[in-house]
Amino acid sequence: MDDKREQGIVLTEAQLKSRRHRSIAIALALGVLVVLFFAVTLVKGPAVLVRPI
């Protein structure tokens, strides 16, 4: 089984660093989006639930 793993794609240090930076950027963007949705919900308040059906 170890032989199969060794035959796979091996990333260079630059590719691993790039992947890490990309993952951090995606995580930060997702975090900002969550905070934005939370802030909008707080600003709208309970009026979000009071609406005609």
Side-chain angles (χ1 to χ4, degrees), residues 4-22:
K4 289 183 181 179
R5 286 187 184 174
E6 291 177 8
Q7 292 176 356
I9 298 172
V10 178
L11 299 177
T12 65
E13 289 296 323
Q15 289 171 326
L16 290 172
K17 188 176 180 181
S18 177
R19 177 193 280 180
R20 179 162 173 76
H21 287 305
R22 188 169 44 251

Side-chain angles (χ1 to χ4, degrees), residues 17-50:
K17 188 176 180 181
S18 177
R19 177 193 280 180
R20 179 162 173 76
H21 287 305
R22 188 169 44 251
S23 296
I24 290 172
I26 291 171
L28 287 175
L30 184 60
V32 167
L33 194 61
V34 167
V35 169
L36 180 66
F37 287 162
F38 183 70
V40 168
T41 303
L42 287 179
V43 168
K44 284 192 166 259
V48 172
L49 299 175
V50 180

